[in-house]
Amino acid sequence: MSAPFALTNATVLTCDGGGAELPGATVVVDAQGVIEQVGPAAEVVVPRGYRRIDATGRFVLPGLINAHAHLFSDGKPLPPILLKESVESLVAAFMHSPIGRVIAKRRTKANVRTQLHSGVTTLRSLGDVGYEVVEVREEIERGDYAGPRVLASGPLLAVPGGHGAPQIALTSDSPEGARKNTRKNLAKGVTAIKIAATGGVTDARAIGEAGRPQMTEADMTAICEEAHRAGVLVAAHAQSEEGITAALRAGVDTIEHGAAMNAEMIDLFKDNPRSLRGTSALIPTLQPALPLVKLAPEITGADEIVRANAELVFEEMLQGIRDALANDITIGMGTDSALTHVTHYNTWRELDYVVRYGGLTPQQALHAATRENARILGLDGITGSIEAGKHADIVVLGANPLDDFRAFTTPELVIARGTIVERPAVTRFHELDAALDSL
Ligand SMILES: [Zn+2]
């Protein structure tokens, strides 16, 4: 329950992909946090007893949906020593120790708050230490504190020694093992499943390892069958043609990061009989790669292997976006927050990057981060747009984000399922932001 209210005389952004606006609109939200009416201020009657919030000159739009987040870290560059292969198992052991788990939970709570205060009202966490994000989701649902709507994957599913292992993954090397790990996560209450189909940049030990296929199609098929039986979508970290093709054939619903597409991939994205809903979507994440490619190694701390792999996947991702645009494949939006250089308050930078580097229009970028992501995640009945009947997941901005996404850095209000964050505020890392501003 929240106090009912109305945002009066606002400019509502429909986020339809074409940039349509409803000027002079009033949005009425009931005590259940559901949008009751949207229409011209002159026609909408605000019921007696509702709080009236004057939104003259303000831009009202759906809260952002971050379809690819992690929550275990704040995004500041890690000391390079922690990324060395020799300390990998020590780091993992610490993360999974009782004290490590307490830290992971505390960081998760702080980071979902930061996401909320920067305009994210729904996020999908894809790769957690344990089940700390599931716990935080349950605490938010119980009303213990305000937070975004959370979908949580728990640990991702990988092959032994694969991407994410041993820190944030359950590992297996057979379809039976993969099936068992999927069931384990589902029994723990996850609402998303994440696979590492290929290698990744952050933990690659050789140039070319990011994108190299790791999990077999048979293993991924077993995972998709188990997850889909429970009605849960499967996301796959996949950064090469071979890895993505195998993931799509297995029935993966969202391809994370992406790469240049061949004809079979294009067909499978648009018509994927093994996926949960018949199609698959691309979720590019430019934020972790771009700084590694464009900033000096003295700033990023990246060694030659990391930098070369980042360059490789960045170019592949850009081609994947172009191929998706050219072939009318659904594109969503994710930030890969918690990775080095990806803070929880910089979601707007992803929108900026997919426009400047990926070739989307600002309207398409905002559409991807709202309506499209809602549709991809199966939440379009309840969120993703400002329409009667949907939850009041709303951001109120002082300037039009379609002119400059930086408008998201100073939201006037963020509203999550009707609960108003009156003075959104986040802690910024100024040095990091200054480096990113130079890009
Ligand atoms: Zn990720």
Side-chain angles (χ1 to χ4, degrees):
M1 292 286 279
S2 50
F5 64 91
L7 297 163
T8 63
N9 203 30
T11 297
V12 170
L13 302 188
T14 66
C15 298
D16 64 344
E21 298 177 358
L22 309 173
T26 289
V27 180
V28 182
V29 176
D30 70 15
Q32 275 68 48
V34 174
I35 299 172
E36 222 171 48
Q37 303 177 64
V38 183
E43 289 170 23
V44 171
V45 179
V46 179
R48 189 190 293 271
Y50 279 44
R51 175 183 169 193
R52 299 177 71 102
I53 302 170
D54 181 12
T56 305
R58 307 297 191 276
F59 294 83
V60 167
L61 61 150
L64 298 176
I65 300 173
N66 186 352
H68 187 137
H70 304 271
L71 295 161
F72 50 74
S73 179
D74 58 19
K76 270 193 295 198
L78 294 172
I81 178 72
L82 291 180
L83 303 172
K84 290 265 179 294
E85 191 172 8
S86 52
V87 301
E88 197 175 68
S89 56
L90 276 176
V91 171
F94 177 74
M95 286 167 76
H96 292 274
S97 69
I99 174 89
R101 285 170 188 274
V102 169
I103 293 172
K105 174 87 179 279
R106 200 168 57 206
R107 286 190 181 150
T108 295
K109 282 172 75 168
N111 293 336
V112 294
R113 181 187 183 281
T114 301
Q115 295 258 352
L116 177 69
H117 282 240
S118 58
V120 173
T121 54
T122 301
L123 70 82
R124 180 172 66 156
S125 183
L126 291 180
D128 312 327
V129 177
Y131 301 96
E132 70 280 1
V133 185
V134 172
E135 288 174 28
V136 165
R137 180 197 73 210
E138 282 164 2
E139 288 165 10
I140 293 169
E141 293 304 314
R142 249 194 342 249
D144 292 0
Y145 44 87
R149 180 184 294 99
V150 173
L151 300 174
S153 76
L156 62 89
L157 308 179
V159 297
H163 182 50
Q167 297 92 337
I168 56 164
L170 302 181
T171 59
S172 63
D173 55 7
S174 67
E176 299 70 42
R179 207 179 278 279
K180 211 169 122 194
N181 283 340
T182 311
R183 285 200 191 130
K184 180 183 176 186
N185 272 356
L186 291 168
K188 291 283 191 181
V190 305
T191 43
I193 291 287
K194 165 79 177 295
I195 299 177
T198 71
V201 171
T202 43
D203 51 6
R205 302 297 172 207
I207 293 173
E209 187 181 320
R212 200 170 291 159
Q214 291 187 339
M215 196 175 268
T216 66
E217 189 183 321
D219 289 5
M220 291 193 279
T221 301
I223 292 168
C224 288
E225 282 174 8
E226 287 299 323
H228 292 166
R229 211 193 325 269
V232 171
L233 295 169
V234 178
H237 164 102
Q239 299 182 303
S240 65
E241 184 177 332
E242 200 182 342
I244 296 171
T245 305
L248 288 171
R249 284 183 188 157
V252 163
D253 304 284
T254 63
I255 296 296
E256 310 298 312
H257 320 305
M261 296 184 191
N262 61 31
E264 183 187 358
M265 287 157 69
I266 292 167
D267 287 347
L268 280 171
F269 267 111
K270 293 164 77 90
D271 178 12
N272 190 342
R274 281 187 161 157
S275 69
L276 188 61
R277 292 203 207 83
T279 61
S280 298
L282 176 68
I283 315 280
T285 62
L286 298 180
Q287 278 199 87
L290 189 60
L292 295 177
V293 173
K294 304 272 183 195
L295 294 177
E298 304 82 68
I299 299 175
T300 61
D303 63 20
E304 207 25 62
I305 293 175
V306 168
R307 192 183 154 82
N309 278 313
E311 236 159 71
L312 204 81
V313 304
F314 184 63
E315 287 309 320
E316 286 284 336
M317 262 194 292
L318 292 185
Q319 191 55 46
I321 295 172
R322 288 184 210 116
D323 291 341
L325 282 173
N327 291 285
D328 206 18
I329 288 165
T330 303
I331 302 175
M333 195 273 314
T335 65
D336 232 344
S337 58
L339 295 201
T340 281
H341 305 107
V342 193
T343 68
H344 296 277
Y345 57 80
N346 270 339
T347 300
W348 70 272
R349 289 192 194 271
E350 190 66 32
L351 301 176
D352 180 46
Y353 294 164
V354 293
V355 170
R356 286 196 290 131
Y357 295 92
L360 274 71
T361 64
Q363 291 77 8
Q364 285 173 320
L366 195 55
H367 181 231
T370 54
R371 280 181 188 258
E372 283 290 66
N373 265 354
R375 201 164 61 85
I376 291 166
L377 299 179
L379 300 171
D380 48 331
I382 56 172
T383 192
S385 61
I386 308 285
E387 289 175 286
K390 291 202 180 180
H391 292 183
D393 294 330
I394 297 172
V395 186
V396 180
L397 301 178
N400 191 340
L402 292 172
D403 295 334
D404 186 349
F405 288 124
R406 217 172 262 275
F408 281 107
T409 58
T410 52
E412 298 194 1
L413 299 174
V414 179
I415 303 164
R417 288 179 275 180
T419 299
I420 301 177
V421 178
E422 302 277 357
R423 272 173 295 280
V426 302
T427 306
R428 294 175 192 284
F429 311 129
H430 296 290
E431 215 175 303
L432 175 57
D433 283 335
L436 296 177
D437 284 342
S438 75
L439 292 174

